Amino acid sequence: INEVGQGSTGRVFLSHDPYYGRDVAIKLYNPQTGDDDDKARVTRKMFFNEAQMTGRLQHPNILPIYDAGEEDGCYYVVTEHVHGARTLAAYTKPDNLLRIDDVVEIVFKAAKALHYAHNRGVIHRDVKPSNIMLTLDNDVRIIDFGIAIVKDSSVSRIEGIAGSPSYMSPEQVQSAEITPQSDLYSLGAVMYELLTGFRPFRGNNLSRLLHQIVYATPAPIHTLRPEVSEELEELV
């Protein structure tokens, strides 16, 4: 029907599935042109990895995948289309923050979804505001398990650092083993930003940012938003 979004890995289109009579979202991945065979193979693995894994995850707070495939060198994934949804990226500025109770409820649902995925051997690896969607009735969907790792699978490690630097765990930026705790760290960083309007670490270049993640302590939340309770700050 029309293009509804663009990201670093591809474009998203709103489409209609005549068989089931429902609207769906189709994510079309950027074609890997001119890549060497090894890189193309990794991309292909990564892609079918995402589709297969997320297709196995059935949880009310994880966006369901209906179909996936490859056509003329283009990869696509078909997911539920959530009408009127927006991502949490809309609520990360100091002048447009959610109520504290709403943040707690959203993060609680996201934590339950990640717990479910972790129990099935899936680590998301890229938990960030733009990968958590809010529906019109304020329900939560975690999206884009595109770089997740399935424990014990043949595609257990995609080479190099994957993820979004500001939300990466210390072990992730140091290329150490990634565990479910890495996702929890990222969710904590998201919660910090939703409560304060600031990311926990803000370096003006990548190496400074990564150094802060490993060695620095973020500003206490109550200094940025005084009404946040001590218990909640401790939880974050």
Side-chain angles (χ1 to χ4, degrees):
I1 298 170
N2 60 339
E3 187 173 326
V4 291
Q6 249 180 335
S8 54
T9 52
R11 297 150 71 197
V12 180
F13 294 88
L14 167 63
S15 304
H16 187 73
D17 177 353
Y19 187 76
Y20 288 106
R22 65 188 173 192
D23 285 344
V24 296
I26 299 182
K27 182 172 181 180
L28 195 62
Y29 287 76
N30 296 330
Q32 302 294 316
T33 50
D35 279 347
D36 57 49
D37 289 350
D38 283 351
K39 196 166 177 196
R41 199 165 60 244
V42 168
T43 303
R44 192 167 196 279
K45 267 186 171 178
M46 209 162 161
F47 170 77
F48 284 107
N49 184 21
E50 168 178 18
Q52 187 183 17
M53 273 175 349
T54 316
R56 285 204 303 255
L57 299 178
Q58 310 240 317
H59 188 278
N61 301 122
I62 294 175
L63 190 74
I65 279 190
Y66 298 142
D67 191 17
E70 179 187 8
E71 194 168 322
D72 299 332
C74 270
Y75 299 108
Y76 64 87
V77 170
V78 184
T79 65
E80 173 192 28
H81 174 71
V82 187
H83 283 278
R86 62 254 184 242
T87 75
L88 292 183
Y91 305 104
T92 55
K93 299 282 178 288
D95 59 354
N96 190 35
L97 296 177
L98 294 163
R99 294 181 326 126
I100 291 174
D101 287 356
D102 291 338
V103 173
V104 172
E105 188 180 343
I106 288 164
V107 174
F108 177 65
K109 286 178 176 175
K112 284 202 297 184
L114 289 172
H115 179 71
Y116 168 89
H118 294 158
N119 280 343
R120 280 148 190 80
V122 178
I123 300 168
H124 189 289
R125 287 218 303 171
D126 197 20
V127 175
K128 59 184 177 183
S130 59
N131 277 341
I132 303 174
M133 272 193 337
L134 271 187
T135 67
L136 282 175
D137 52 1
N138 276 349
D139 207 6
V140 172
R141 299 276 193 289
I142 295 184
I143 62 174
D144 219 352
F145 278 74
I147 55 175
I149 296 181
V150 183
K151 287 205 294 256
D152 309 321
S153 85
S154 56
V155 206
S156 65
R157 184 177 286 278
I158 302 300
E159 289 313 308
I161 287 187
S164 304
S166 292
Y167 308 97
M168 281 184 179
S169 63
E171 63 271 21
Q172 206 165 354
V173 305
Q174 294 174 303
S175 295
E177 189 190 351
I178 309 264
T179 68
Q181 281 74 16
S182 308
D183 278 351
L184 288 187
Y185 174 98
S186 301
L187 187 61
V190 169
M191 192 175 190
Y192 183 104
E193 188 175 18
L194 291 176
L195 288 171
T196 64
F198 296 97
R199 294 174 181 180
F201 300 111
R202 305 179 291 284
N204 51 12
N205 62 48
L206 184 60
S207 62
R208 186 166 294 176
L209 174 66
L210 300 185
H211 185 273
Q212 283 183 10
I213 288 171
V214 178
Y215 298 107
T217 304
I221 290 177
H222 66 267
T223 61
L224 300 167
R225 192 170 180 180
E227 65 269 32
V228 172
S229 70
E230 212 176 309
E231 291 87 353
L232 188 56
E233 182 158 347
E234 186 62 33
L235 181 84
V236 177

